[in-house]
Amino acid sequence: MPDHPADVRIPDVKPHRSLFERLTALISPEPENRSELLEVLHDAHDRNLIDADALSMIEGVFQVSDLSVRDIMIPRSQMDVIDISKPIEEWMPHVLTTAHSRFPATEGERDKVIGILLAKDLLRYYAEESFDVRDMLRPAVFIPESKRLNVLLRDFRANRNHMAIVVDEYGGVAGLITIEDVLEQIVGDIEDEYDFDEEEDNILPIKHGVYGPRWRVKALTEIEQFNQTLTTRLANDDVDTIGGLVANHLGRVPRKGDVFNIDNLRFEVLRADARQVNVLLVEKLPPVDVDEAD
């Protein structure tokens, strides 16, 4: 039998597709926008082609490009800071109690952030006779509230920063944000041994929105606690949590980006996966005029 010529190329064998699959490819156009792409992904999840975690992370990537820093930052009132104008003995117990790895360092006023202190640098306080906390401070990074999360994440990675101080349009400190906060929008909550599920963290006030005051609310927040904090009267005999109430209202598992009203409240789903909602943005709407409603 003669040998094959050296330049003869054996064609790649393509996987066989059924007639139905080929017809579907002809009549079903490729997704042309994000909404259609997400529908394809949800269909793939329904057919067990991708799991719930993968779907959730893909949705999180899309969500990061839509959110800005003001949407997920830790508000100024919730910031754990150290005031280096005071003796170290006064704020060291606070450092030990909160157990954060980084602290904004202020000087007298909360708006006067002069640097970032790494908790590990405080070990030198116990090892050295002379210790100047100012020498331990790292430069603070300041960013505007309007900065997009995808841009911030790229900056965090490029500059190897883990924390940024958020300032408002007047230059005042509005809050802070960490790389962990951004990553949690993609992969979900990143818990460590120092994270506590305390009730006071379930509802965090943030900057007012277009219509009124706003809060970031964990979906597992009890409806009773929600009503007490926001002075509302939401009620549902079938569920106990805000997440359950929202799911009942929609008639399905909430998805990231869902926006809807319940009574005089505007809800937006900030974080969710294929199984459940995790975090909501809630804004109080102005009361409806009865005459206008009629």
Side-chain angles (χ1 to χ4, degrees), residues 10 42 52 105 163 219-220 276 284 292:
I10 299 175
H42 278 275
M163 175 182 288
L220 292 179
Q276 63 183 2
K284 204 169 242 188
E292 293 182 1

Side-chain angles (χ1 to χ4, degrees), residues 195-234:
D195 285 334
F196 299 95
D197 187 16
E198 298 178 355
E199 283 194 5
E200 56 264 30
D201 293 332
N202 285 343
I203 305 174
L204 295 178
I206 59 177
K207 187 175 180 179
H208 278 37
V210 177
Y211 303 105
R214 299 191 303 170
W215 297 265
R216 287 188 72 222
V217 181
K218 291 182 180 178
L220 292 179
T221 302
E222 297 284 338
I223 294 177
E224 182 180 355
Q225 182 191 0
F226 183 92
N227 285 334
Q228 290 177 350
T229 304
L230 276 65
T231 62
T232 54
R233 295 182 178 179
L234 297 181

Side-chain angles (χ1 to χ4, degrees), residues 159-207:
N159 302 318
R160 297 186 178 181
N161 291 326
H162 291 259
M163 175 182 288
I165 305 300
V166 185
V167 295
D168 59 26
E169 58 186 310
Y170 304 106
V173 173
L176 67 80
I177 190 170
T178 67
I179 191 172
E180 180 181 292
D181 296 326
V182 182
L183 292 176
E184 283 184 343
Q185 300 302 311
I186 301 175
V187 300
D189 288 334
I190 304 173
E191 297 184 356
D192 59 35
E193 65 270 32
Y194 299 114
D195 285 334
F196 299 95
D197 187 16
E198 298 178 355
E199 283 194 5
E200 56 264 30
D201 293 332
N202 285 343
I203 305 174
L204 295 178
I206 59 177
K207 187 175 180 179

Side-chain angles (χ1 to χ4, degrees), residues 222-224 235-249:
E222 297 284 338
I223 294 177
E224 182 180 355
N236 194 308
D237 297 332
D238 299 326
V239 295
D240 298 320
T241 66
I242 289 297
L245 179 70
V246 166
N248 275 8
H249 176 79

